[in-house]
């Protein structure tokens, strides 16, 4: 299915990487569902920027009933079901190396918050979309990971562990759903400059990444968004179960 025939859900789509991803798909002619949880003003601003090919829908991806309702609303609005899901939502987390909890302070509840966001949220969107994917014999699922579980330059225990779990989830889903024409992949950026989540990151950390990266620059969200487009496009049709690291070469996997 060509990009301009797809209906694309971007969870956490109002800010940062989500916003750039929504704009990238709109640029290619896709219909875009901008999911948001708290950032209504930013979601509506982005919808206005994209125009008639976008709709903004509030839903907590951790709540299956809200996710199912979002899928129904998107189908009613565009006249066809969601074909493509970008699991990008990030709940209650900032990349702040100063205030992060260390090994003696981190709690299981901290881990659980991020697991609920990353893994449960992705499970909910896949299960809500599965009937439509199977009927169309087509589906594209791209989960957003991180290079931090391969190179934890800062020990964000809860976030990094949830994304490592999401890679296992991605590969299991890829194995099972491929028979229905559904691909499931992960795109893992590094620390991106600049998003709301990375705004607390010090200039020293960004400088360290920049000096350690072959391209000698910190990756920006639009560059990761273009890699996401690849997995949804016809050029990525034979690729599934993969984790593409988009960080300027800092992590070479």
């Amino acid at each position: 299915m060509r990009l301009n025939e797809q209906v694309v859900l971007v969870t956490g789509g109002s800010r940062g990487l989500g916003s750039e991803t929504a704009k990238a798909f709109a640029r290619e002619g896709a219909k875009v569902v901008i999911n948001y949880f708290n950032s209504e003003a930013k979601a509506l601003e982005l919808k206005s920027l994209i125009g008639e090919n976008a709709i903004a829908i509030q839903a907590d991806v951790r709540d299956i009933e809200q996710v199912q309702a979002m899928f129904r609303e998107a189908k009613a609005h565009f006249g066809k079901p969601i074909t493509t899901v970008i699991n990008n939502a990030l709940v209650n987390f900032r990349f702040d190396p100063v205030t992060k909890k260390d090994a003696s302070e981190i709690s299981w509840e901290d881990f659980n918050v991020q697991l609920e966001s990353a893994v449960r949220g992705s499970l909910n969107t896949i299960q809500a979309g599965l009937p439509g994917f199977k009927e169309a014999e087509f589906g594209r699922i791209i989960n957003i990971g991180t290079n931090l579980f391969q190179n934890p330059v800062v020990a964000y225990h809860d976030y990094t562990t949830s994304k490592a779990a999401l890679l296992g989830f991605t590969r299991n889903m890829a194995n099972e759903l491929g028979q229905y024409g559904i691909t499931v992949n992960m795109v893992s950026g590094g620390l991106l400059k600049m998003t709301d989540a990375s705004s607390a990151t010090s200039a020293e950390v960004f400088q360290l990444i920049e000096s350690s990266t072959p391209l000698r620059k910190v990756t920006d969200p639009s560059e990761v968004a273009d890699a996401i487009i690849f997995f949804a496009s016809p050029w990525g049709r034979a690729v599934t179960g993969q984790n593409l690291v988009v960080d300027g070469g800092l992590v070479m996997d």
Side-chain angles (χ1 to χ4, degrees):
M1 186 180 293
R2 293 177 299 179
L3 289 167
N4 63 4
E5 298 172 314
Q6 296 180 30
V7 178
V8 182
L9 167 65
V10 183
T11 70
S14 64
R15 302 179 298 150
L17 176 58
S19 174
E20 290 299 323
T21 302
K23 288 187 283 188
F25 275 104
R27 179 191 70 212
E28 301 298 328
K31 306 291 192 296
V32 181
V33 181
I34 304 163
N35 161 252
Y36 66 94
F37 183 38
N38 290 320
S39 304
E40 180 179 22
K42 289 187 176 181
L44 293 177
E45 180 181 353
L46 180 58
K47 174 186 177 298
S48 177
L49 176 67
I50 293 174
E52 63 181 13
N53 278 352
I55 182 175
I57 304 177
Q58 193 278 339
D60 184 344
V61 296
R62 298 167 294 182
D63 185 322
I64 185 61
E65 293 183 356
Q66 291 186 39
V67 172
Q68 289 171 340
M70 175 169 57
F71 272 71
R72 290 193 296 268
E73 183 176 346
K75 183 178 180 180
H77 181 82
F78 288 121
K80 55 184 180 180
I82 289 169
T83 64
T84 307
V85 175
I86 316 303
N87 285 309
N88 169 72
L90 178 62
V91 177
N92 298 331
F93 188 83
R94 296 185 75 204
F95 297 99
D96 188 340
V98 176
T99 63
K100 79 170 190 67
K101 294 181 180 179
D102 66 19
S104 66
E105 299 170 314
I106 195 82
S107 69
W108 176 247
E109 182 54 34
D110 294 318
F111 281 96
N112 198 45
V113 167
Q114 295 309 313
L115 287 165
E116 289 266 315
S117 170
V119 182
R120 187 176 187 175
S122 299
L123 175 63
N124 286 343
T125 60
I126 289 174
Q127 290 183 335
L130 202 51
F133 299 155
K134 287 182 176 179
E135 182 178 349
E137 298 183 335
F138 177 91
R140 295 291 178 265
I141 299 159
I142 299 102
N143 299 324
I144 303 305
T146 180
N147 69 354
L148 286 169
F149 68 76
Q150 293 155 298
N151 182 33
V153 290
V154 178
Y156 294 116
H157 298 284
D158 45 353
Y159 172 80
T160 304
T161 300
S162 74
K163 294 299 189 179
L166 186 61
L167 179 57
F169 174 89
T170 297
R171 288 178 170 158
N172 279 288
M173 285 292 179
N175 184 45
E176 182 173 325
L177 301 183
Q179 62 188 306
Y180 306 114
I182 302 166
T183 65
V184 190
N185 290 288
M186 177 181 277
V187 173
S188 293
L191 190 64
L192 303 179
K193 189 176 183 180
M194 180 73 69
T195 67
D196 287 357
S198 68
S199 61
T201 301
S202 66
E204 289 77 16
V205 170
F206 280 125
Q207 288 167 2
L208 174 64
I209 294 171
E210 188 172 296
S211 64
S212 305
T213 300
L215 292 183
R216 298 297 188 268
K217 67 183 292 292
V218 179
T219 308
D220 71 56
S222 67
E223 293 170 320
V224 179
D226 285 343
I228 293 168
I229 290 286
F230 163 74
F231 280 120
S233 76
W235 295 280
R237 63 190 180 277
V239 184
T240 196
Q242 302 303 311
N243 175 35
L244 178 61
V245 180
V246 184
D247 66 357
L250 181 63
V251 171
M252 296 187 183
D253 185 12

